[in-house]
Amino acid sequence: MKVLGIESSCDETSAAIVEIAGESLHVLSCVTASQDTLHEEYRGVVPEIASRAHLECIVPVVRAALAEANTTLGCIGGVASGTRPGLIGSLLVGTSAAKAIAWASDRPFVGVDHVGAHLVACLLDRPPAVWPALGLVVSGGHTSLFALGSPLEPTLLGATIDDAAGEAFDKAATILGLGYPGGARLDAAAELGDPERIPLPRTRLKGHDFSFSGLKTALALAHQRAPTEIGALAASFRLAVVDQLLDRTWRASEESAARTLLVGGGVAANALLRRELIHGCEARGIDLRLCDMRYCTDNAAMIAATGALRLQRGDRDGWDVVAEPLSSLARGRRGERRRAE
Ligand code: KG4
Ligand code: ZN
C-alpha cells in the first residue's frame, strides 16, 4: 500500500509517498520546501509568515511528491498528516489539505503525532528492527526519551524540563553570532574548536529528565569573558549537550531489556552525537537505528510511514480530527514549538 503523508507543523512544507509491505517502509518520494530564508531575519519562526508560506507551497509540493514517486492519487491507499504538536496555523494547512485530498479521492485519513513520527523516521528503508526498543527524540521543540513495545507505542520515560536540545543549539548559535537556524552552524564551528579549552557545567537531574537552560546561561557568561573564542565555546557547548543526552540514554538502557535504540529529530544530525552513539552502542551491544541524515529534520516521509503503520493495523480517523499544539506522547515546554523571540 502507498500512503501520501503531509508535514506542515513548523517551517517546512513537505509531502511524501511511502510504500508499506509488512514491516518494511520504503520511501518513494519526499519533497520539502523550507522557509528558513523567510524567518532568518527574525531569528525564529514567525507563525503568521509560516502559515501563509505553507498555503502557497502545499499544492505544488504534493504534486511534486506524486510525480517523483511516479504515481497518482488513484494509486494511493490512504492519506496522513501531522496533526500535533506544532504551530496551530501551520498544522491546519497540512491537515486541511490532507483531509480534502482523502475526501475527494475517497481514501482513508489518519492524523499522526509528529514526535512519534521522528522515531518512525529511523525505520525508513531499513531492515525490520527488534522490539522492545528505546527511542530518543531530539528536535527543535522536544527532547524526550521513550520505551517502545512497537513503533506505534512509545511510552514517555523522561523529557526536558526547559529548553529542547535543538532550541538550546539555536539559542547558543545566536549568542555566538552564528546566525539562524543555528544548530548545524554551531555543529560545524564546534568541529574546529577545542572542547576542553573553556569547560561548561553539566546538568545532572535525577531520573530521565533533561535540562539545557542553565547551560545556555553558562555559555552566555563564558562568551562575555572570551568573546573571540567562538570555536572553543561552540565545541564545549556541543560536548555538554551531547554528554547529557548520552548520560540519560545509557542510564535508561542499563535499566531496560531493550537492545534496540532509535534516535531521531533535527539534533540527530549532530556530528558529535552521531559519532558517540555509534561508538557507545557498539560497546554496549545495542542495535542503533540512527535516523538517516535525510530524515532527521522535519519531513513528510516520517508522517507517511507512521500513517502507513496506523492504516495497516486498521486505524481510521474521522474528518473531525483537529490540529492541536500539544503532543499526545511527549511534554513540550510551552506546548508549541519555537516562536520568534
Ligand atoms: O526535528 P526538527 O526539524 O524540528 C522540530 O521538530 O523541532 O529539528 C530542528 C532542530 C533545530 O533546532 C536545529 O537547529 C537542529 O534541529 N539541528 C541541529 C543540527 N541540525 C539541525 N542541532 C545540532 N546539530 C546539527 N547538526
Ligand atoms: Zn520535528
Side-chain angles (χ1 to χ4, degrees), residues 42-340:
Y42 306 100
R43 294 195 304 273
V45 178
V46 182
E48 183 63 22
I49 293 176
S51 319
R52 286 170 189 269
H54 285 307
L55 271 177
E56 282 171 17
C57 292
I58 192 79
V59 172
V61 163
V62 170
R63 285 213 170 106
L66 287 165
E68 205 171 285
N70 206 12
T71 192
T72 58
L73 284 178
C75 302
I76 297 296
V79 185
S81 77
T83 48
R84 61 200 294 176
L87 299 171
I88 196 71
S90 293
L91 288 167
L92 277 170
V93 177
T95 295
S96 306
K99 284 183 188 171
I101 292 168
W103 185 76
S105 49
D106 199 18
R107 294 291 184 273
F109 163 79
V110 282
V112 164
D113 189 289
H114 178 100
V115 178
H118 270 304
L119 293 173
V120 173
C122 306
L123 308 174
L124 295 170
D125 289 321
R126 301 259 177 89
V130 175
W131 308 93
L134 288 173
L136 177 67
V137 177
V138 272
S139 70
H142 290 84
T143 301
S144 307
L145 196 54
F146 296 95
L148 294 102
S150 76
L152 294 177
E153 292 167 82
T155 305
L156 189 68
L157 296 176
T160 181
I161 58 164
D162 41 56
D163 291 349
E167 183 180 11
F169 271 116
D170 290 335
K171 288 178 177 170
T174 301
I175 291 168
L176 299 180
L178 296 171
Y180 173 88
R185 296 183 200 190
L186 190 141
D187 194 16
E191 288 288 300
L192 308 172
D194 174 4
E196 313 294 339
R197 196 172 156 83
I198 307 174
L200 291 171
R202 300 292 186 266
T203 312
R204 293 266 187 267
L205 299 180
K206 284 195 182 129
H208 299 111
D209 284 346
F210 305 85
S211 167
F212 298 104
S213 70
L215 182 59
K216 179 189 63 193
T217 308
L219 176 78
L221 295 173
H223 179 245
Q224 278 170 15
R225 288 192 296 271
T228 57
E229 298 269 14
I230 301 302
L233 288 165
S236 180
F237 182 85
R238 181 177 71 163
L239 180 62
V241 172
V242 169
D243 263 4
Q244 192 184 152
L245 293 172
L246 294 174
D247 176 73
R248 294 316 117 80
T249 305
W250 302 145
R251 201 193 297 167
S253 94
E254 277 158 26
E255 294 165 7
S256 157
R259 288 336 302 146
T260 304
L261 173 65
L262 316 175
V263 183
V267 180
N270 188 269
L272 178 67
L273 180 62
R274 294 182 85 83
R275 289 197 291 269
E276 293 294 326
L277 280 167
I278 292 167
H279 183 72
C281 284
E282 251 171 42
R284 290 169 176 81
I286 296 171
D287 179 18
L288 174 63
R289 299 302 174 111
L290 184 53
C291 190
D292 191 291
M293 285 294 273
R294 273 173 301 178
Y295 306 123
C296 285
T297 47
D298 290 349
N299 67 84
M302 66 186 198
I303 302 291
T306 312
L309 289 166
R310 288 201 57 204
L311 288 163
Q312 192 186 49
R313 74 174 186 191
D315 291 2
R316 303 286 184 267
D317 284 334
W319 306 122
D320 56 348
V321 163
V322 288
E324 290 181 76
L326 284 175
S327 169
S328 54
L329 306 170
R331 325 190 271 273
R333 183 163 65 114
R334 289 179 298 246
E336 293 177 357
R337 295 183 305 156
R338 292 152 303 151
R339 291 164 178 274

